[in-house]
Amino acid sequence: MESQEEKPIIYTMENKPIVTCAGDQGLFTSLYTPLAQQLPREPMEWRRTYGRAPKMIHLEANFVQFKEELLPKEGNKALLTFPFLHIYWTDCCDTEAYKGSVKEDMMRWQNSLRAHGSADWVIVVVETNDAKKKNKTNILPRSSIVDKIRNDFCNKQNDRCVVLSDPLKDSSRSQESWSSFLLKLRTLLLMSFTKNLGRFEDDMRTLREKRTQPGWSFCEYFMVQEELAFVFEMLQQFEDALVQYDELDALFTQYVLNFGAGDGANWLGSFCAPVRSWSGLLLRRPIDMEKRDGIQRGEASLLDLRSYLFSRQCTLLIFLQRPWEVTQRALELLHNCVQELHLLEVSVLEGALDCWVFLSCLEVLHRIEGCCDQAQLAANCSHTVGLWAYATDKLKSLGELCGLVSDKGPTSEDLNRTVDLLAGLGDERPETVNSLQSPYKKLKEALSSVEAFERHYLELSHAAMEMYRAISRLRSARLVGKSLAEFYMRKGDPERAEGFLQEALRSYVSEGWSLPVTNTRIQIAECQKLLGRTEDYLQTSALLAGDVNLTNEERKHFCQEILTFASKSTDKCQKVTLSMGAFAQLTRLQFHPATASVHSGAALQVELSLRCLMPVSVCMQQLAASIHFSLEHGGTHGRSKGAQRLTNQGTVDFSQGNSSVGPPFSSAAGPSLELDEIQDRSPSDNSLNSTGMVCKNTHLVMRRHDSSSSPETPNCVSPPAVVVDDGAQMLKVRDITLEPGNNSIVFTAPSGDPGTYTMRQLCATVGQVQFVLPHIYPSVQYEVYSQEPQLTVEPLSEPLLAGLPQMVKFTLLTGHYAVKKGDALQLSNTETMPILPSTSCTASIRNPAAEVIGESLLSIQSSEKVTSISLPPTPPYHTLEFQLEVLCVIPSGSDRPANERLTNGEVRHRPRSYSHPNTPMTAIDQRMSIDCPWSIYSTLLALTFYIPFKTKHSLLSAGNRKYIQVCVQNVSDVNFQLAEVKLTEKQHASLELQSLNTKAQQLVCTRQSVFCLWEVRWKADLPSCLQCIFSANFSPLNQDISAFKPFHYHFQLERVTTLYSVRADILPAAGEQHCRSGTLCGLEMCITRLTEPGEGELGEESKVETDGLKTTKLMYEVADSSSNWAVCGKSSGMVSMPMSANATHKVQIEVMPLFAGHLPFPKIKVLKYLPHTAAPAIQPDPDSCVENDTLSLLDKTLDDQGDTASIRSRGSVHSVGSGEQQQRGLAMPRLEPFSPGQVFNHSHARQVLVLPATDDHIMEVNTT
């Protein structure tokens, strides 16, 4: 703009409230300077009417000599010339002088005030010591003069007479007098302001309320309210002054709007006069008196009124240091003025309004630059950029109007119009004559020549664009750029225009503005055609041909442009590649068959649904889809791609966007993710180890884009050429016609080599033009597989039960192998699972669609080692199914627990195949080896059978008599029948097992048990070890006798002979017939040896005494776990028993019954005590070692030991020593329980009668 020295000086009004001074003018003149300086120093609180907030103001005054002409006349509403206060100055201290002249002068002064209705006055009496010295004889006390004045003039207003003592001296008395006087003067001034302004506001309000009456004039009211604004400005209350102008602005705007609505006021006629001058705003003067006079006379035009009103608002806003609000209000003013001129139907020369707006915009910008530095302007360009853009737009309109944009230059008519417009500007204002860059000079220079106009227009346009970019308003910047493009097109420079149009197009496409996209593309097509850029022009024409915003004729025009070029006969190298998104859209793809997975050589069809966007039919020479082939390595490398897309019923739907904007992938968010599944499979059995996701277009997703533009899409610029390799595998269809709308095309897909085929591109050839879809998304694949033959065996029903015939299903997936006549499966026979012969075994053949296409009778031949199954001829990729009956033999071994102790003391663990977490049945894995004709290797298949029974045994004793009990538990879900239950002993023929079972057949329901019992009888000595075999026949319920299958269970019993008998008896206390609770009783226990010692027993337990008698040590313990008895004294001990038949040892113990009734005998335990010199029967398990050296572990019952075979009891050894000593390797004495049946307790189930304790009570009864 202009230089620093040319900046205008901000004008401040010098008006101050008028205060008249009468009386001694010489006295006032001597006091004027200190009075004018000290009056505004202290602020005063101004309390206004109507509840308005109080304000602190500094009062100033314009002291003038009193003249009667200054007093307001009736009807005069000017506040600036209104005297708010009248002061009479006197220093009279002589009585004669006061009576002779001063009093009469005061009388005339007051009569004048009273005649004009002025009641705001004050009399100031100045007291000086010099006056006293001159007239000492006639001097009265000062109080006497003041009293006379008050009596004569201030009867009821004594405060209107003020004394000022020695005002020119520097003393405390003088300062105090000045302070009192100034306070009184400020108070009187404020009172006058409040009263007169209130009266003025009431009059103004009354005048405004008469605005509906005929004859009311807005210009008259404007001058009245502006007078109030001047007063506020005079008091430096700029905010209140601005409110007055805003109210006038709003009132006038409302009248204009009412006029537009048909409710016009008569006074508006003066503002409807044709506009003769359009010189723009004038903001370099605080008050434009020329326009104000026009308003006062009622001769101002609408632009004059608006210009003057805004100039006053601008001045006040700058006083308030709010320059950025000026720009905002200016932009609103300029737009509103254009609309108001249309509403009032004001006649304006064409282009005059553009001149006025252009000059006003630059004037406001100059005014703001004059009160702000460059740093502030740069930081607040968001407030000024709107004015720059508006000025640019109006200058462009003027250039088009005056022929300055055309490449031919202005005509004579344009020159005449330019002269008329310049004439309406008038002469340049004096404030800007010396400025080289004033708005007046700029406009005049811009309209003078084409070159000057272009320079100024480009300067303004680039400045506006830079400001918009600086504040990140890219849309507005691109809009200015599009205007520039239109300018360049008019100037015949399409190369520069295209860049701005492409940038605007990117913005419209990213934000989805359909119609602007269409219009901008039309302009771009015009540029590209002029520049001879054929490929880009054809791409844009294709987009416009499919744009629904255009008429059908316009679309046909652009489509014909493409077809005309395509029909040209040129070389193949001259072919043009365009984006298919503008030509046609892929909507659906469907596979036949729907699985999209076929074996090698099978037929597969792909049906494409294309929606043609062209307005006419288009004949295509070829439609081709390129295919990428990838070989599957699932069986070799253990990795295979997932087939999630193959489970969608063979149909892939492609989402579509708005055709006028483009495909859905053209959004500003970037390309969509293309995800695929990756599976990691085991090389051995092809089982799934892990799975994951991989992004196939990472190079597109992770690509960095320019922040100022959206990603390149076919909607903005032409896509790069895509070369389709004719040598690659492709789906092709020739000579087809695409009709407008939906079309269906069927391809035959290649399926020769096994692998995965991915459709990558789609290319439509129309003469010399190729429409290419560079990437099909979502990814579309189909699979061609070459499968190895697979043989599987599975049960027909779950679970497979061992011991019963079960049907299993053989399934052969032939894969690429064709089963020929004579091919057979060779099954190796095993003793544990024989294949049962069958005369009617039928095999069914199914095609890949699971439809049965044939059945054949199988030929099965069995030998000692091999079972041969002849297979019927079966084509490749078919399924062959047949069923065989097999039998798994139940093992006859003992059903031992999982952790069983072996003879060496180690823990024996069953194989994992025998434990199953989901069923209580014991599992047996049976493996079979099958030789197949298509492989040189044998195929191993496994079947899992479950034993339906759990069997356990126990040895029972009754004195010397022995019984064997076998428990059979049905753990399956099938009910069985048991028949021919037998128990035999295979080593001792003299031993007799007498059955005590009465039923020949017994029902065993699911989860139920059956107990069988035999008594053991012998003639000579009872063997110490028995080898038993339990056998039975079983079958499912309601089966005939031929369905019974054998079941055997082998077990062994050791140490079955009864060695000791224990008898006990409880004797009551002396003199009692029965035991009583709480009374000591005697427990007599008798231990008797029943047999002679055996050989093994002599070696392990015997001890030779001094007299040659062989003895053994026993440990006994009496305990009662049910808390019926209290053992008094010693409850356990050791006895030395002779190892001879009928040897007896008696022990007496005192016990006390705790309850009355039939109480069971206390429990008596007898254990073997092995000295430290005796070797243990087996190596003790560290887990069973005793943790302490006391005998309390004897509380552990013998029932906790095993109840099946005596071999288990041999492994449970108790030690009396501590675990720490055993760890050190020291041999310690230990306890060992007897095996079940070696000790028989005759008192095990006996009871004794216990009477309640006798209790005598004395009761005293008083009778009267």
Side-chain angles (χ1 to χ4, degrees):
M1 294 298 177
E2 59 191 55
S3 60
Q4 184 70 24
E5 61 271 15
E6 295 174 346
K7 289 185 178 180
I9 300 174
I10 296 178
Y11 175 79
T12 56
M13 295 188 64
E14 298 296 335
N15 294 332
K16 298 176 183 177
I18 296 177
V19 177
T20 64
C21 298
D24 192 346
Q25 295 298 322
L27 176 63
F28 166 71
T29 303
S30 64
L31 300 178
Y32 172 75
T33 301
L35 179 61
Q37 292 177 353
Q38 295 185 37
L39 180 63
R41 286 184 180 178
E42 296 294 332
M44 290 291 291
E45 185 181 26
W46 185 19
R47 295 182 177 274
R48 303 178 61 192
T49 57
Y50 297 105
R52 284 173 284 193
K55 294 184 178 181
M56 302 299 292
I57 63 173
H58 293 267
L59 291 174
E60 293 183 272
N62 183 16
F63 296 96
V64 298
Q65 185 177 357
F66 175 78
K67 295 179 182 180
E68 193 170 352
E69 293 81 8
L70 294 176
L71 297 178
K73 307 295 189 294
E74 185 176 357
N76 186 6
K77 300 183 183 302
L79 285 176
L80 292 179
T81 59
F82 181 82
F84 288 92
L85 186 64
H86 305 276
I87 305 177
Y88 189 92
W89 297 88
T90 181
D91 60 353
C92 178
C93 58
D94 188 357
T95 305
E96 296 299 331
Y98 170 73
K99 292 180 180 180
S101 59
V102 175
K103 183 176 179 181
E104 293 181 359
D105 190 37
M106 285 185 182
M107 290 292 292
R108 288 193 299 271
W109 172 70
Q110 276 214 346
N111 291 333
S112 298
L113 294 180
R114 193 176 297 111
H116 290 83
S118 297
D120 299 312
W121 53 269
V122 64
I123 300 174
V124 181
V125 180
V126 180
E127 178 188 33
T128 59
N129 291 330
D130 296 338
K132 291 181 181 180
K133 293 178 181 178
K134 292 179 181 178
N135 300 316
K136 289 185 179 180
T137 56
N138 298 324
I139 289 178
L140 293 175
R142 179 60 57 186
S143 58
S144 299
I145 297 296
V146 173
D147 290 342
K148 285 183 176 293
I149 294 175
R150 286 176 178 170
N151 291 331
D152 294 337
F153 301 99
C154 309
N155 294 328
K156 298 181 180 179
Q157 296 175 322
N158 292 331
D159 58 339
R160 293 304 178 101
C161 184
V162 181
V163 178
L164 183 60
S165 302
D166 296 327
L168 299 179
K169 290 187 177 181
D170 188 8
S171 63
S172 59
R173 184 167 178 263
S174 176
Q175 293 296 330
E176 183 179 354
S177 180
W178 267 112
S179 298
S180 177
F181 168 68
L182 292 173
L183 178 60
K184 175 61 68 174
L185 186 59
R186 295 188 191 109
T187 304
L188 292 175
L189 269 176
L190 274 182
M191 291 173 59
S192 178
F193 286 149
T194 305
K195 179 179 65 175
N196 290 285
L197 286 182
R199 185 186 301 116
F200 185 86
E201 287 179 337
D202 292 340
D203 295 340
M204 182 186 72
R205 194 174 299 109
T206 302
L207 181 61
R208 184 172 62 225
E209 291 174 355
K210 296 179 181 180
R211 63 185 179 274
T212 57
Q213 298 179 3
W216 187 85
S217 173
F218 175 80
C219 295
E220 179 183 351
Y221 175 75
F222 181 92
M223 305 309 293
V224 172
Q225 190 160 2
E226 190 185 27
E227 193 76 19
L228 180 62
F230 284 157
V231 173
F232 283 126
E233 186 177 1
M234 179 179 63
L235 297 176
Q236 297 185 358
Q237 301 301 307
F238 303 116
E239 189 70 44
D240 292 329
L242 182 62
V243 169
Q244 309 308 314
Y245 286 109
D246 289 344
E247 289 180 356
L248 289 171
D249 189 353
L251 181 61
F252 185 78
T253 302
Q254 187 61 48
Y255 269 103
V256 174
L257 294 177
N258 294 342
F259 182 88
D263 183 14
N266 295 330
W267 56 265
L268 274 173
S270 61
F271 295 100
C272 298
V275 177
R276 303 298 181 188
S277 173
W278 41 86
S279 57
L281 297 176
L282 179 59
L283 306 180
R284 300 169 190 256
R285 302 175 188 170
I287 300 178
D288 189 350
M289 297 305 298
E290 182 181 352
K291 288 186 173 59
R292 188 174 188 275
D293 293 341
I295 297 173
Q296 190 172 10
R297 294 192 305 267
E299 299 175 357
S301 65
L302 176 67
L303 293 183
D304 292 339
L305 175 66
R306 283 299 187 185
S307 299
Y308 176 77
L309 189 58
F310 181 77
S311 67
R312 295 297 301 134
Q313 292 172 323
C314 174
T315 302
L316 295 172
L317 286 172
I318 291 177
F319 284 156
L320 292 170
Q321 297 182 355
R322 287 150 58 182
W324 311 119
E325 190 175 341
V326 174
T327 60
Q328 177 185 352
R329 288 177 175 238
L331 201 58
E332 295 176 359
L333 167 75
L334 298 178
H335 287 286
N336 291 338
C337 280
V338 175
Q339 299 301 322
E340 288 176 353
L341 288 172
H342 289 299
L343 287 176
L344 296 179
E345 301 176 356
V346 178
S347 175
V348 184
L349 180 66
E350 186 179 7
L353 200 55
D354 294 334
C355 292
W356 182 80
V357 172
F358 177 80
L359 293 173
S360 299
C361 289
L362 295 188
E363 178 69 15
V364 173
L365 292 173
H366 276 259
R367 187 71 178 90
I368 297 302
E369 290 179 359
C371 59
C372 298
D373 55 24
Q374 292 298 323
Q376 289 177 322
L377 291 173
N380 294 275
C381 61
S382 60
H383 298 90
T384 60
V385 65
L387 292 173
W388 285 102
Y390 202 17
T392 304
D393 184 56
K394 291 306 177 182
L395 184 60
K396 178 186 175 184
S397 300
L398 287 172
E400 294 173 353
L401 183 65
C402 299
L404 300 174
V405 180
S406 174
D407 52 352
K408 298 179 181 179
T411 63
S412 58
E413 184 180 354
D414 296 332
L415 293 176
N416 292 331
R417 188 180 295 111
T418 304
V419 171
D420 294 338
L421 291 176
L422 293 177
L425 299 179
D427 297 332
E428 188 172 5
R429 295 157 182 167
E431 292 83 2
T432 61
V433 169
N434 298 324
S435 175
L436 299 178
Q437 296 293 328
S438 66
Y440 180 88
K441 290 187 176 67
K442 278 191 174 184
L443 180 59
K444 195 170 183 178
E445 182 182 358
L447 297 181
S448 62
S449 66
V450 175
E451 293 77 10
F453 173 81
E454 183 176 352
R455 184 178 70 254
H456 284 287
Y457 176 70
L458 293 180
E459 177 186 351
L460 290 175
S461 298
H462 288 291
M465 290 177 63
E466 291 176 3
M467 290 182 186
Y468 277 131
R469 290 194 181 102
I471 60 176
S472 300
R473 289 180 57 180
L474 300 182
R475 294 190 192 93
S476 301
R478 289 163 184 162
L479 190 61
V480 176
K482 189 178 179 184
S483 180
L484 264 177
E486 295 174 357
F487 171 77
Y488 283 124
M489 287 295 294
R490 287 177 174 268
K491 298 289 291 183
D493 191 357
E495 187 173 1
R496 291 186 180 181
E498 188 188 12
F500 292 108
L501 292 175
Q502 290 285 9
E503 189 175 358
L505 181 61
R506 288 189 182 94
S507 178
Y508 296 149
V509 170
S510 64
E511 297 172 8
W513 297 102
S514 174
L515 197 57
V517 164
T518 302
N519 297 330
T520 308
R521 279 185 182 148
I522 294 175
Q523 294 174 318
I524 291 176
E526 184 181 355
C527 293
Q528 293 168 344
K529 188 173 183 179
L530 293 174
L531 292 172
R533 292 160 53 179
T534 305
E535 185 172 349
D536 292 342
Y537 174 67
L538 293 177
Q539 179 66 62
T540 306
S541 297
L543 291 168
L544 292 171
D547 198 328
V548 297
N549 290 322
L550 296 179
T551 63
N552 199 35
E553 294 300 325
E554 292 173 325
R555 294 176 60 191
K556 286 181 180 180
H557 165 72
F558 289 107
C559 182
Q560 190 60 41
E561 292 284 305
I562 301 172
L563 297 179
T564 301
F565 177 84
S567 62
K568 293 181 180 179
S569 177
T570 56
D571 298 334
K572 286 188 177 181
C573 60
Q574 298 296 326
K575 284 189 175 182
V576 175
T577 302
L578 306 179
S579 171
M580 183 175 283
F583 173 71
Q585 291 180 348
L586 179 61
T587 59
R588 173 175 290 187
L589 186 144
Q590 192 168 4
F591 288 101
H592 303 285
T595 57
S597 178
V598 296
H599 59 79
S600 178
L604 177 67
Q605 288 186 335
V606 181
E607 181 181 357
L608 294 183
S609 295
L610 284 177
R611 184 162 66 93
C612 181
L613 302 178
M614 296 294 103
V616 296
S617 301
V618 179
C619 297
M620 295 189 301
Q621 284 73 33
Q622 176 180 286
L623 179 63
S626 64
I627 294 177
H628 174 73
F629 171 74
S630 61
L631 185 63
E632 291 285 351
H633 300 287
T636 304
H637 300 288
R639 298 182 67 86
S640 66
K641 294 183 179 179
Q644 74 276 9
R645 67 185 61 84
L646 305 181
T647 59
N648 57 353
Q649 291 77 43
T651 302
V652 179
D653 291 319
F654 300 90
S655 60
Q656 302 299 326
N658 190 339
S659 61
S660 66
V661 177
F665 52 80
S666 63
S667 64
S672 303
L673 290 177
E674 296 184 16
L675 301 177
D676 201 358
E677 182 183 1
I678 290 295
Q679 296 178 350
D680 188 4
R681 295 186 177 274
S682 172
S684 59
D685 56 357
N686 203 33
S687 61
L688 182 64
N689 292 336
S690 63
T691 184
M693 302 293 291
V694 62
C695 179
K696 299 174 63 177
N697 60 339
T698 311
H699 61 289
L700 297 177
V701 176
M702 303 299 292
R703 183 177 61 183
R704 182 171 178 240
H705 302 292
D706 186 7
S707 60
S708 63
S709 64
S710 60
E712 284 190 359
T713 66
N715 304 281
C716 300
V717 294
S718 298
V722 180
V723 179
V724 181
D725 187 5
D726 293 338
Q729 298 193 61
M730 300 184 70
L731 306 179
K732 294 182 180 180
V733 176
R734 298 185 181 274
D735 298 330
I736 60 174
T737 301
L738 285 184
E739 300 292 337
N742 296 324
N743 298 266
S744 180
I745 299 98
V746 179
F747 296 92
T748 300
S751 59
D753 298 329
T756 301
Y757 294 79
T758 305
M759 299 183 66
R760 290 290 178 86
Q761 299 173 352
L762 196 62
C763 177
T765 303
V766 182
Q768 302 301 314
V769 179
Q770 285 184 330
F771 294 96
V772 178
L773 180 62
H775 195 74
I776 298 177
Y777 181 81
S779 180
V780 178
Q781 293 179 346
Y782 69 91
E783 186 182 64
V784 177
Y785 58 87
S786 176
Q787 187 177 6
E788 294 293 328
Q790 295 182 2
L791 179 64
T792 58
V793 181
E794 56 185 356
L796 283 183
S797 60
E798 292 284 355
L800 291 176
L801 297 179
L804 294 175
Q806 301 289 297
M807 296 298 295
V808 293
K809 178 182 177 181
F810 286 74
T811 303
L812 172 61
L813 301 178
T814 59
H816 64 80
Y817 181 78
V819 180
K820 301 177 293 294
K821 185 178 181 181
D823 288 347
L825 299 178
Q826 306 293 332
L827 280 69
S828 299
N829 295 335
T830 59
E831 295 181 356
T832 57
M833 192 187 70
I835 297 176
L836 302 181
S838 176
T839 57
S840 59
C841 183
T842 304
S844 60
I845 303 174
R846 299 178 181 270
N847 61 10
E851 300 172 349
V852 178
I853 61 173
E855 293 185 350
S856 177
L857 191 65
L858 289 180
S859 174
I860 303 176
Q861 297 178 357
S862 298
S863 62
E864 181 180 357
K865 295 184 178 180
V866 177
T867 298
S868 178
I869 304 174
S870 299
L871 301 177
T874 307
Y877 299 102
H878 281 59
T879 303
L880 180 66
E881 297 178 350
F882 60 90
Q883 299 176 6
L884 293 181
E885 191 174 31
V886 297
L887 176 66
C888 177
V889 179
I890 300 177
S892 59
S894 176
D895 193 8
R896 297 173 182 174
N899 294 336
E900 179 183 351
R901 300 191 181 279
L902 304 179
T903 55
N904 60 357
E906 295 182 357
V907 178
R908 174 179 177 179
H909 298 280
R910 288 287 185 183
R912 292 183 61 184
S913 60
Y914 279 80
S915 60
H916 200 284
N918 298 328
T919 176
M921 295 185 289
T922 302
I924 304 174
D925 285 340
Q926 295 288 354
R927 296 183 179 270
M928 62 175 68
S929 176
I930 304 177
D931 293 334
C932 304
W934 55 82
S935 177
I936 61 175
Y937 302 103
S938 298
T939 302
L940 293 178
L941 300 177
L943 290 174
T944 301
F945 291 84
Y946 296 91
I947 302 176
F949 302 117
K950 279 190 176 181
T951 310
K952 53 186 179 179
H953 62 276
S954 59
L955 179 65
L956 306 177
S957 301
N960 287 330
R961 301 175 68 178
K962 299 295 181 180
Y963 301 88
I964 298 176
Q965 178 181 274
V966 177
C967 174
V968 180
Q969 182 183 6
N970 181 6
V971 292
S972 70
D973 296 330
V974 182
N975 297 330
F976 291 99
Q977 285 183 348
L978 289 182
E980 300 180 11
V981 179
K982 296 180 182 179
L983 182 66
T984 58
E985 207 282 332
K986 59 183 181 180
Q987 288 187 347
H988 304 86
S990 61
L991 197 68
E992 179 184 357
L993 297 175
Q994 183 178 357
S995 175
L996 302 180
N997 306 304
T998 58
K999 295 182 179 181
Q1001 291 187 0
Q1002 293 192 11
L1003 174 64
V1004 187
C1005 297
T1006 177
R1007 306 294 188 270
Q1008 301 296 324
S1009 301
V1010 169
F1011 293 86
C1012 303
L1013 189 64
W1014 287 266
E1015 182 179 358
V1016 183
R1017 295 188 178 183
W1018 62 93
K1019 296 180 180 180
D1021 295 334
L1022 178 64
S1024 61
C1025 181
L1026 300 179
Q1027 299 290 337
C1028 301
I1029 301 175
F1030 171 78
S1031 61
N1033 293 333
F1034 73 99
S1035 72
L1037 190 62
N1038 300 328
Q1039 298 286 337
D1040 55 9
I1041 192 171
S1042 61
F1044 280 85
K1045 299 297 178 182
F1047 171 66
H1048 301 279
Y1049 172 66
H1050 295 246
F1051 61 92
Q1052 176 179 320
L1053 295 174
E1054 295 183 358
R1055 300 182 182 182
V1056 297
T1057 307
T1058 304
L1059 301 180
Y1060 299 95
S1061 67
V1062 179
R1063 295 179 182 273
D1065 197 7
I1066 296 178
L1067 304 176
E1072 296 287 343
Q1073 185 178 359
H1074 297 284
C1075 297
R1076 292 186 177 273
S1077 61
T1079 304
L1080 290 176
C1081 302
L1083 172 64
E1084 185 176 305
M1085 179 176 59
C1086 179
I1087 304 175
T1088 303
R1089 174 83 184 193
L1090 299 180
T1091 61
E1092 295 293 337
E1095 296 180 0
E1097 192 178 2
L1098 289 173
E1100 294 178 359
E1101 305 172 0
S1102 62
K1103 180 180 179 181
V1104 180
E1105 300 289 345
T1106 54
D1107 55 358
L1109 184 62
K1110 298 177 181 179
T1111 61
T1112 184
K1113 289 187 177 181
L1114 301 179
M1115 180 70 141
Y1116 70 89
E1117 182 184 19
V1118 178
D1120 183 23
S1121 60
S1122 59
S1123 302
N1124 292 326
W1125 299 89
V1127 181
C1128 302
K1130 186 177 181 181
S1131 62
S1132 62
M1134 287 188 295
V1135 297
S1136 182
M1137 287 291 297
M1139 299 185 66
S1140 60
N1142 299 323
T1144 303
H1145 189 91
K1146 294 184 179 181
V1147 178
Q1148 291 186 351
I1149 299 175
E1150 290 185 340
V1151 296
M1152 178 187 294
L1154 301 179
F1155 303 98
H1158 292 276
L1159 301 182
F1161 274 45
K1163 195 168 187 178
I1164 301 173
K1165 299 179 184 179
V1166 178
L1167 298 94
K1168 289 185 286 186
Y1169 177 81
L1170 301 180
H1172 64 276
T1173 56
I1178 61 173
Q1179 184 68 28
D1181 185 8
D1183 294 339
S1184 63
C1185 291
V1186 183
E1187 297 294 337
N1188 53 63
D1189 54 359
T1190 67
L1191 297 178
S1192 62
L1193 57 88
L1194 296 176
D1195 294 338
K1196 187 174 182 180
T1197 62
L1198 292 175
D1199 295 338
D1200 296 337
Q1201 310 304 321
D1203 57 355
T1204 55
S1206 59
I1207 187 173
R1208 179 174 179 181
S1209 65
R1210 290 169 54 191
S1212 302
V1213 180
H1214 296 276
S1215 174
V1216 182
S1218 66
E1220 182 181 358
Q1221 291 172 331
Q1222 287 189 0
Q1223 291 176 1
R1224 295 175 182 175
L1226 300 178
M1228 300 299 297
R1230 60 192 180 277
L1231 300 176
E1232 182 177 340
F1234 286 97
S1235 299
Q1238 286 187 309
V1239 177
F1240 182 74
N1241 189 353
H1242 290 270
S1243 60
H1244 181 68
R1246 288 187 61 188
Q1247 293 181 340
V1248 62
L1249 177 62
V1250 177
L1251 300 179
T1254 59
D1255 191 4
D1256 297 332
H1257 297 278
I1258 299 175
M1259 180 182 298
E1260 293 183 0
V1261 179
N1262 295 326
T1263 60
T1264 58

